Structure formats: C-alpha cells, structure tokens
Amino acid sequence: QVQLVESGGGLVQPGGSLRLSCTASGFTLDNYAIGWFRQAPGKHRERVVCINSSRSSTHYGESPRGRFTMSIGTAKNTVFLQMNSLKPEDTAVYYCAAGHLLVDCRPMNDYDHWGQGTQVTVSS
C-alpha cells in the first residue's frame, strides 16, 4: 500500500519550533520530488518547500524562507521539515507529497501521492 504519513504537528507558542516528519511506505522516495505544503482555514493550499526528483533544486515559499528547512533522512524514506521562529500565520494543516520524476517541484497538481496532513497551531 502506497502512502505518506506525516507526524509531529501540535500546538506551539509564537517563536517556538516544531519538526515534522513524513514517512513513505510502499515505495521509495528515490526519483520522487518531495514537497511540503500547507493549507490554512479559508485559504488555498500553498507550497512551503519542495525539492525536485534529481535533488538539484529546492524552492521555498516566501514566508517560510529562512525559518524552515527541509531535509531527507539517512534512510531516504523519511523527510523532515524543521520549523523555527514560528508565527501565528504559520497555523495550518501541513501536508507532504511525492511526485515521480518531477523536474520542477513547484506545481502542486503534478504530485502523485499525498499524506493525510498534520495540524500545526501557533498560538499563545
């Protein structure tokens, strides 16, 4: 069964940090672009960060840039999103996604597999 499972979400105070994980099962992330996206209530889903399938280019969204970092685990089937200096406007459901052989990781519609999402709430 092919699936992506996110974990690590929760409630954090402004200025705090969280580390999200996304684990793939039923397939390997080799040759897949990987993206983290988020959707806040009443807003469109937006890209947080993505890396293309050849790992040659990474694209951060405007707001997360400089505060969030994506990394790939040594087992290559888990990816992480380290989120620092969190702000209330970062509150959203965060999704990871994988797209096979994507040269450009930015178009959301090109992704093949999506996780179920994990809630991140930044509030005092």
Side-chain angles (χ1 to χ4, degrees):
Q1 182 180 3
V2 172
Q3 62 177 354
L4 294 169
V5 178
E6 303 96 336
S7 61
L11 173 65
V12 63
Q13 292 187 341
S17 298
L18 276 178
R19 189 194 196 204
L20 305 184
S21 301
C22 171
T23 300
S25 60
F27 71 111
T28 63
L29 291 174
D30 292 341
N31 298 316
Y32 277 82
I34 304 163
W36 284 98
F37 301 87
R38 67 186 182 184
Q39 188 165 17
K43 294 190 176 181
H44 295 296
R45 191 171 296 188
E46 65 174 359
R47 170 172 41 88
V48 176
V49 58
C50 69
I51 187 168
N52 67 355
S53 56
S54 65
R55 308 293 185 250
S56 61
S57 62
T58 302
H59 298 279
Y60 282 88
E62 187 65 32
S63 176
R65 191 173 298 135
R67 300 185 296 122
F68 293 6
T69 304
M70 181 171 73
S71 60
I72 299 173
T74 52
K76 304 286 175 90
N77 243 36
T78 300
V79 294
F80 303 98
L81 180 67
Q82 178 67 42
M83 306 186 294
N84 299 327
S85 302
L86 283 161
K87 306 174 182 180
E89 51 263 43
D90 294 317
T91 295
V93 178
Y94 283 70
Y95 301 89
C96 68
H100 193 232
L101 294 176
L102 294 183
V103 175
D104 185 351
C105 63
R106 289 169 290 185
M108 267 183 280
N109 290 339
D110 290 348
Y111 283 78
D112 304 296
H113 308 297
W114 288 82
Q116 82 289 350
T118 185
Q119 176 70 46
V120 171
T121 302
V122 185
S123 175
S124 55

